[in-house]
């Protein structure tokens, strides 16, 4: 069986990297087939695992917009015959809509939606079309002349990433990371539900919120009590229960339980939030402070500006960088997302 993933095209690498990370940490046994930028098929999934994998992906992914179960693969020449041959009573309950999305294809999307809708109605009893709030969504994806016919069984909550933007939270402070990137970084750290994740520069709690929503235990600290308290307010607002926040300098950090994951966006620039440390020294001190608080198999996912060379600092402490991705913020700044582990 197969799952079709329609991904964000706002970054050339992060959506696929996030999907691979989730597959790895959740032990998803499937083959990843990248059809084109923004379209990925997960193949060779057993029938016993399909529903569980579907639930995991829709719960965790940030840079994937939709996940659908593939019913069959067709093409423009065989489309009508193939759609008519499907037992739609297995997939559609009461009301449905058909939506077509194109990748490098010039097919008439509205025409194909109407054609598919008519064929489904002709071959299935007791169902109606509802274009506003359908109980079932048939998703047809065109790539060139190929057509993937799929059904949406679990809706991915895309609204969350819009409704939880930093300025919409009860406690707001400028410069906070977008929730979609925060979720992606949590996933890149390969943390699992129930494991402990730490953000030692938690700010308003954006990373902690995203980790908490996928079922992690979370701990955040910040040198400013205002941020520590504000993060707690935001965590409460989003219903995160299993959390702790502390007001302390990262150099004073000593966890009672070593963490399974560290995900953070350290401050940088002229003004930093470590009091008496300025510039790149904050990263050096961070690496030293965090090392002994991490389990040996824990991963660190962090953001940093392009002009800071993390490699020598990480090497000195005993870390190694295993993945890096650049996000251009504006003409003079690129944010680097690094995945780092302890050297074996």
């Amino acid at each position: 069986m197969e799952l079709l993933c329609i991904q964000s095209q706002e970054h050339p690498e992060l959506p696929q990297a996030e999907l691979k990370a989730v597959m790895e940490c959740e032990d998803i046994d499937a083959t990843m087939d990248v059809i084109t930028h923004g379209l990925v098929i997960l193949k060779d999934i057993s029938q016993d695992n399909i529903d569980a994998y579907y639930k995991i992906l829709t719960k965790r992914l940030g840079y994937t917009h939709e996940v659908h179960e593939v019913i069959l693969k067709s093409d423009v020449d065989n489309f009508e015959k193939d759609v008519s041959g499907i037992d739609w009573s297995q997939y559609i309950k009461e009301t449905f809509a058909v939506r077509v999305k194109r990748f490098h294809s010039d097919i008439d999307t509205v025409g194909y939606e109407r054609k598919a809708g008519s064929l489904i109605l002709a071959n299935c009893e007791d169902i109606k079309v509802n274009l506003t709030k359908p109980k079932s969504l048939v998703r047809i994806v065109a790539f060139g002349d190929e057509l993937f016919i799929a059904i949406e069984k679990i809706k991915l909550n895309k609204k969350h990433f819009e409704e939880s933007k930093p300025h919409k939270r009860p406690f707001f402070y400028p410069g906070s990371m977008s929730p979609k990137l925060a979720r992606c970084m949590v996933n890149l750290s390969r943390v699992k539900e129930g494991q402990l994740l730490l953000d030692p520069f938690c700010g308003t709690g954006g990373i902690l919120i995203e980790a908490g929503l996928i079922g992690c235990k979370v701990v955040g600290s910040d040198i400013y009590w205002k941020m520590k308290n504000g993060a707690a307010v935001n965590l409460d607002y989003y219903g995160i229960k299993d959390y702790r926040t502390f007001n302390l300098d990262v150099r004073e950090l000593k966890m009672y339980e070593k963490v399974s994951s560290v995900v953070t966006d350290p401050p940088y620039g002229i003004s930093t939030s470590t009091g008496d440390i300025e510039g790149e020294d904050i990263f050096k001190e961070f690496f030293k402070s965090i090392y002994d608080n991490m389990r040996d198999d824990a991963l660190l996912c962090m953001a940093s500006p392009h002009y800071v060379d993390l490699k020598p600092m990480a090497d000195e402490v005993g870390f190694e960088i295993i993945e890096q991705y650049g996000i251009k913020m504006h003409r003079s700044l690129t944010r680097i997302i690094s995945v780092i582990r302890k050297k074996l």
Side-chain angles (χ1 to χ4, degrees):
M1 302 187 77
E2 299 179 349
L3 289 173
L4 179 151
C5 301
I6 298 175
Q7 299 190 310
S8 166
Q9 298 182 56
E10 61 197 277
H11 192 276
E13 299 173 292
L14 281 175
Q16 289 181 32
E18 180 190 31
L19 177 56
K20 288 178 183 177
V22 171
M23 291 175 64
E24 180 183 319
C25 73
E26 295 285 358
D27 299 318
I28 291 178
D29 184 13
T31 302
M32 186 170 163
D33 183 10
V34 179
I35 306 301
T36 188
H37 182 47
L39 180 61
V40 175
I41 305 288
L42 301 185
K43 297 182 174 181
D44 307 319
I45 302 173
S46 72
Q47 187 169 354
D48 291 341
N49 290 330
I50 190 78
D51 289 340
Y53 290 176
Y54 202 146
K55 289 177 183 176
I56 290 167
L57 295 175
T58 52
K59 179 179 181 179
R60 292 197 59 146
L61 292 172
Y63 280 116
T64 295
H65 292 164
E66 299 177 27
V67 181
H68 305 288
E69 183 178 319
V70 177
I71 299 173
L72 65 81
K73 180 180 174 182
S74 184
D75 55 51
V76 294
D77 294 328
N78 296 291
F79 179 72
E80 293 189 29
K81 172 177 67 70
D82 288 340
V83 172
S84 297
I86 295 170
D87 181 2
W88 288 103
S89 64
Q90 295 184 40
Y91 303 102
I92 297 175
K93 305 299 180 187
E94 297 183 34
T95 62
F96 77 100
V98 179
R99 295 284 183 266
V100 175
K101 186 172 181 63
R102 299 181 302 183
F103 289 86
H104 309 296
S105 174
D106 58 2
I107 69 164
D108 176 6
T109 57
V110 174
Y112 269 77
E113 287 173 357
R114 290 174 176 169
K115 185 187 300 183
S118 297
L119 293 168
I120 292 169
L121 285 170
N123 288 275
C124 193
E125 298 178 353
D126 301 322
I127 61 170
K128 295 180 180 179
V129 172
N130 185 326
L131 299 180
T132 54
K133 291 186 178 181
K135 291 194 174 181
S136 301
L137 175 66
V138 177
R139 171 58 92 180
I140 298 171
V141 176
F143 173 65
D145 289 337
E146 296 179 323
L147 295 163
F148 297 92
I149 304 169
I151 189 78
E152 180 182 70
K153 290 189 171 180
I154 305 174
K155 194 170 185 64
L156 199 149
N157 185 13
K158 293 184 289 185
K159 287 184 178 179
H160 161 71
F161 297 107
E162 178 63 34
E163 294 170 351
S164 62
K165 286 184 176 180
H167 68 280
K168 296 184 178 181
R169 299 172 191 156
F171 177 77
F172 169 68
Y173 194 82
S176 300
M177 179 178 288
S178 74
K180 193 180 290 187
L181 178 56
R183 175 69 65 88
C184 178
M185 289 177 63
V186 168
N187 284 327
L188 288 174
S189 78
R190 275 73 168 176
V191 68
K192 297 182 180 181
E193 182 176 355
Q195 291 185 331
L196 182 61
L197 177 143
L198 167 69
D199 181 357
F201 302 99
C202 70
T204 62
I207 287 170
L208 301 179
I209 291 168
E210 297 308 316
L213 289 173
I214 65 169
C216 298
K217 299 182 291 183
V218 296
V219 176
S221 65
D222 202 283
I223 197 168
Y224 293 123
W225 67 265
K226 180 179 179 181
M227 294 298 184
K228 174 260 184 190
N229 290 347
V233 168
N234 286 339
L235 287 162
D236 288 337
Y237 180 79
Y238 288 98
I240 311 301
K241 303 296 184 184
D242 200 347
Y243 77 85
R244 290 172 290 165
T245 56
F246 299 97
N247 171 214
L248 51 79
D249 189 310
V250 68
R251 292 168 294 181
E252 301 169 357
L253 187 65
K254 192 169 181 64
M255 299 291 295
Y256 291 108
E257 175 188 351
K258 290 193 175 185
V259 302
S260 299
S261 169
V262 178
V263 182
T264 196
D265 182 16
Y268 46 83
I270 297 173
S271 175
T272 69
S273 64
T274 51
D276 59 340
I277 301 180
E278 295 183 357
E280 297 183 14
D281 286 344
I282 189 173
F283 296 97
K284 296 177 184 178
E285 294 297 325
F286 165 65
F287 282 130
K288 293 175 184 176
S289 302
I290 207 68
Y291 187 89
D292 289 332
N293 288 291
M294 294 171 60
R295 287 173 26 175
D296 288 342
D297 61 347
L299 289 181
L300 158 65
C301 184
M302 63 179 291
S304 63
H306 70 276
Y307 52 78
V308 174
D309 185 0
L310 296 179
K311 188 176 186 308
M313 307 178 204
D315 286 343
E316 182 180 347
V317 176
F319 285 114
E320 61 178 337
I321 299 172
I322 57 174
E323 297 175 48
Q324 283 191 316
Y325 308 96
I327 303 174
K328 193 164 186 64
M329 306 302 291
H330 47 75
R331 187 173 64 181
S332 59
L333 176 65
T334 297
R335 176 183 264 169
I336 305 298
I337 307 300
S338 301
V339 182
I340 300 168
R341 68 184 175 197
K342 291 183 175 182
K343 292 180 180 178
L344 304 177

